[in-house]
Amino acid sequence: MLRIALPNKGRLADEIRGLLDDAGLGVQSRGERALTASLGGEFEALFVRAQDIPEFVADGAADAGVTGWDLVCESERALTTLLDLEFGRCRLVVAAHEDSPVRTFADLEAATTPFRVATVFPRLTQRYFARAGCPAIVVPVSGAAEVAPHLGIADIVVDLTSTGSTLKVNGLHEIATVMESSARLIVAESRAGEPALDDLVAALASVLRARGRRYLMANVPRVALDRVTAVLPGLNGPTVIDILNGGTMVAVHAVVPAATIYRTIAALKTLGAEGILVTRIERLLP
Ligand code: AMP
């Protein structure tokens, strides 16, 4: 049975469990603290720290893993992404304190004396400033890098942010983006292309594809079908169905983007649509 390393806690843990549930591969746990569990009877989950997952997968202790792309890059191990899971979106950024003379990235490029950078990502940080030709001294910390400027142990930080609120609370402002990240399903580079995980990738991808879409049904005047089709492109154009005793109306069904559903409904109403029904889609396979 293939073994998948998953974060045991932290911000990615709940999201991955939700995704596995939706894919019919829910965690069948033997207890809150279990180290392993069955995933729908198809795979074995191994629960470890998000930071350790790149090492576990690269060393073959797990056949695949789910963790943040930032952690994969920081590990510098030979790993490859099978699927971008789209949650856990964040950016690794360079940030300086409000009181710091450093206002922009140009200030760092112009620095003649080395500046100190606190970070949980020492390798990515070192590489980033070396490439930019900046004289950085990396100060590795194991967490809470954002407090380093307050403690006087660093001039700036390189830290993860999603909403920016933690940076703001700590009086920091962003001056550059080092990289963008999200949760990924990863395997060792040497095992990329093996078909063993194809079914898992297909199951997760079908759920992710479905999440951003809705299934819409409506009755519309047959004479308005051309204009309705323009509003409802669907996967291959809407399905048009006759209604028994429907008179001048026909039913249309289409898969539509969830993000713009209000606009779609409003447009259909102006075309005379009635009985509009919108449902969630569990899975979508192209
Ligand atoms: P954990 O430390 O276990 O909560 O997991 C941290 C991982 O969650 C990071 O390595 C990122 O991949 C991801 N993440 C998403 N948003 C953020 C954020 N705002 N701050 C830190 N990590 C984030």
Side-chain angles (χ1 to χ4, degrees):
M1 197 183 269
L2 293 178
R3 204 173 230 213
I4 321 290
L6 302 176
N8 56 356
K9 57 180 179 187
R11 65 185 86 217
L12 303 179
D14 289 344
E15 295 262 23
I16 182 62
R17 281 182 183 234
L19 178 60
L20 289 165
D21 277 342
D22 290 351
L25 294 167
V27 174
Q28 299 168 351
S29 185
R30 292 174 220 135
E32 270 295 293
R33 294 202 168 169
L35 181 64
T36 62
S38 166
L39 297 178
E42 302 286 333
F43 300 95
E44 183 178 41
L46 175 68
F47 296 108
V48 287
R49 279 163 27 118
Q51 295 92 312
D52 295 334
I53 290 174
E55 306 296 337
F56 275 74
V57 177
D59 292 340
D63 299 290
V66 171
T67 194
W69 185 237
D70 49 298
L71 296 168
V72 176
C73 294
E74 176 65 17
S75 76
E76 294 187 340
R77 300 297 305 259
L79 297 161
T80 190
T81 296
L82 289 186
L83 189 64
D84 184 338
L85 302 180
E86 296 169 22
F87 56 79
R89 280 200 189 285
C90 56
R91 290 174 306 120
L92 187 64
V93 301
V94 183
H97 196 258
E98 280 154 6
D99 302 335
S100 163
V102 178
R103 304 300 311 163
T104 66
F105 195 73
D107 294 333
L108 296 176
E109 286 175 307
T112 47
T113 53
F115 52 84
R116 295 167 66 82
V117 195
T119 186
V120 178
F121 297 87
R123 291 175 180 153
L124 285 170
T125 302
Q126 191 77 54
R127 238 193 294 159
Y128 178 74
F129 284 112
R131 209 172 284 162
C134 295
I137 296 171
V138 177
V139 180
V141 293
S142 61
E146 66 275 7
V147 300
H150 296 275
L151 303 176
I153 58 170
D155 305 299
I156 57 172
V157 301
V158 165
D159 205 0
L160 289 174
T161 180
S162 44
T163 60
S165 57
T166 307
L167 291 181
K168 205 175 256 173
V169 165
N170 287 284
L172 297 162
H173 65 274
E174 270 179 51
I175 55 179
T177 298
V178 176
M179 68 173 290
E180 299 199 346
S181 180
S182 56
R184 308 283 171 97
L185 177 66
I186 53 160
V187 288
E189 238 167 53
S190 56
R191 300 190 56 183
E194 280 182 18
L197 287 160
D198 285 357
D199 289 348
L200 176 65
V201 173
L204 298 180
S206 71
V207 172
L208 293 171
R209 218 176 282 120
R211 280 184 175 178
R213 297 196 169 102
R214 297 289 181 270
Y215 195 70
L216 184 146
M217 297 166 253
N219 296 340
V220 300
R222 193 183 289 273
V223 291
L225 266 181
D226 279 353
R227 282 167 293 154
V228 167
T229 306
V231 175
L232 292 182
L235 286 179
N236 306 298
T239 303
V240 180
I241 308 163
D242 280 328
I243 306 168
L244 192 65
N245 301 327
T248 58
M249 303 294 272
V250 286
V252 289
H253 291 196
V255 174
V256 296
T260 49
I261 193 80
Y262 288 104
R263 232 176 298 144
T264 305
I265 290 172
L268 287 175
K269 279 188 171 165
T270 60
L271 294 173
E274 293 171 359
I276 300 172
L277 196 82
V278 179
T279 68
R280 286 182 186 278
I281 306 168
E282 278 193 16
R283 297 186 193 206
L284 191 61
L285 293 105

